[in-house]
């Protein structure tokens, strides 16, 4: 089956620890995205990447880092510098041709930091 | 900020049509209107998109007004599984990020 996988579904960490969230896609999409969602809110863009070894900051990049060493993988690291890391994190991917660019989302990782 | 305005909540009876409105009065000529939905604790699901013509697929229909300042998503025969938050999004044109700006959406409750 083609799609986007995120792991783990739930993640618990102590304050001050860095944590890396996994995102893998087998849709052969060029672009990948990370969003954050807080309770009752819409999604906010953290980072995005349109090509391997390149990525750009979104609207709320502070305290996060990413890498794009392979087309199918776009891991997100939540660093200890992120002041409010507890949230629902969503990864998405899209193609970059054809004019419509709909994004396909993974199931999300719910991170709790105490 | 989101470029769209949606009612915070709506409800409809199972089996009836659900009509979800969206205002996007500042939309540019080359910007698409997208609709996504998010069932509780899941990732958003793409539904449909359009530029200026009405569109239909197996999930829904999208009606865009002639002036493109508003649109309506129609679920022709709503089921309980259609209970979700529905997001109307205008894709930012001229921005190579192709990012989607999500507002708060409309929470649709389908009643038995």
């Amino acid at each position: 089956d083609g799609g986007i996988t995120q792991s783990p579904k739930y993640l618990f960490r102590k304050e001050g620890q860095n944590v890396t969230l996994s995102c893998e896609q087998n849709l052969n999409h060029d672009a990948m995205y990370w969003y954050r969602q807080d309770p009752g809110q819409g999604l906010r863009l953290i980072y995005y990447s349109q090509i391997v070894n390149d990525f750009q900051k979104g609207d709320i990049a502070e305290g996060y880092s990413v890498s794009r060493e392979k087309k199918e993988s776009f891991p997100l690291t939540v660093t200890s510098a992120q002041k409010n890391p507890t949230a629902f994190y969503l990864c998405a991917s899209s193609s970059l041709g054809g004019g419509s660019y709909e994004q396909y989302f993974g199931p999300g990782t719910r991170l709790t930091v105490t | 900020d989101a470029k769209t305005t949606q009612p915070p909540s709506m409800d409809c009876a199972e089996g009836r049509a659900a009509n979800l409105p969206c205002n996007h009065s500042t939309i540019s000529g080359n910007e698409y209107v997208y609709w996504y939905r998010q069932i509780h604790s899941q990732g958003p699901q793409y539904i449909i998109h359009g530029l200026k013509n009405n569109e239909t697929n197996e999930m829904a229909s999208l009606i865009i007004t002639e002036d493109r300042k508003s649109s309506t998503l129609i679920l022709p025969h709503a089921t309980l599984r259609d209970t979700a938050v529905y997001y109307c999004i205008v894709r930012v044109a001229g921005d190579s990020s192709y990012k989607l700006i999500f507002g708060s959406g409309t929470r649709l409750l389908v009643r038995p």
Side-chain angles (χ1 to χ4, degrees):
Chain A
D1 287 339
I4 302 174
T5 57
Q6 293 185 242
S7 61
K9 189 170 179 62
Y10 298 95
L11 190 55
F12 298 88
R13 281 293 183 272
K14 294 290 187 184
E15 194 173 328
Q17 293 179 334
N18 291 355
V19 58
T20 297
L21 282 58
S22 167
C23 178
E24 304 277 333
Q25 54 100 0
N26 60 4
L27 300 168
N28 199 33
H29 284 164
D30 292 301
M32 296 187 74
Y33 311 79
W34 274 105
Y35 292 88
R36 169 188 171 130
Q37 187 175 35
D38 294 289
Q41 305 296 313
L43 282 66
R44 293 183 291 167
L45 183 66
I46 304 173
Y47 267 100
Y48 63 98
S49 168
Q50 295 177 319
I51 194 170
V52 173
N53 293 323
D54 189 44
F55 47 83
Q56 284 76 42
K57 293 181 179 180
D59 300 317
I60 55 165
E62 185 176 350
Y64 300 98
S65 66
V66 292
S67 63
R68 186 88 186 275
E69 297 177 1
K70 299 185 296 183
K71 185 177 183 178
E72 59 270 22
S73 179
F74 191 40
L76 172 75
T77 297
V78 184
T79 74
S80 56
Q82 167 50 234
K83 290 181 172 50
N84 296 296
T86 295
F88 188 42
Y89 290 88
L90 289 153
C91 179
S93 70
S94 72
S95 64
L96 291 179
S100 55
Y101 316 116
E102 58 261 34
Q103 293 184 12
Y104 296 87
F105 285 81
T109 292
R110 193 168 297 278
L111 173 65
T112 301
V113 177
T114 58
Chain B
D1 291 338
K3 297 176 66 175
T4 62
T5 304
Q6 298 177 253
S9 63
M10 296 181 65
D11 68 83
C12 75
E14 187 178 19
R16 306 298 293 267
N19 298 288
L20 290 87
C22 180
N23 287 318
H24 31 79
S25 58
T26 61
I27 192 170
S28 299
N30 59 349
E31 290 183 304
Y32 287 82
V33 179
Y34 286 78
W35 283 85
Y36 284 76
R37 74 179 183 184
Q38 186 175 23
I39 296 170
H40 184 63
S41 294
Q42 296 182 22
Q45 177 189 22
Y46 165 80
I47 301 173
I48 200 167
H49 73 277
L51 184 60
K52 53 184 175 182
N53 297 322
N54 297 338
E55 303 287 345
T56 295
N57 63 20
E58 64 277 7
M59 290 183 68
S61 294
L62 174 61
I63 308 298
I64 303 174
T65 58
E66 192 170 342
D67 64 7
R68 301 188 71 240
K69 293 185 177 183
S70 65
S71 60
T72 300
L73 179 75
I74 301 172
L75 308 178
H77 305 287
T79 71
L80 299 179
R81 287 178 293 180
D82 292 322
T83 291
V85 178
Y86 287 77
Y87 296 99
C88 170
I89 299 164
V90 170
R91 183 175 70 83
V92 179
D95 181 344
S96 60
S97 73
Y98 307 106
K99 65 182 179 182
L100 301 175
I101 300 176
F102 286 78
S104 299
T106 295
R107 189 173 298 276
L108 175 67
L109 174 65
V110 180
R111 296 177 280 103

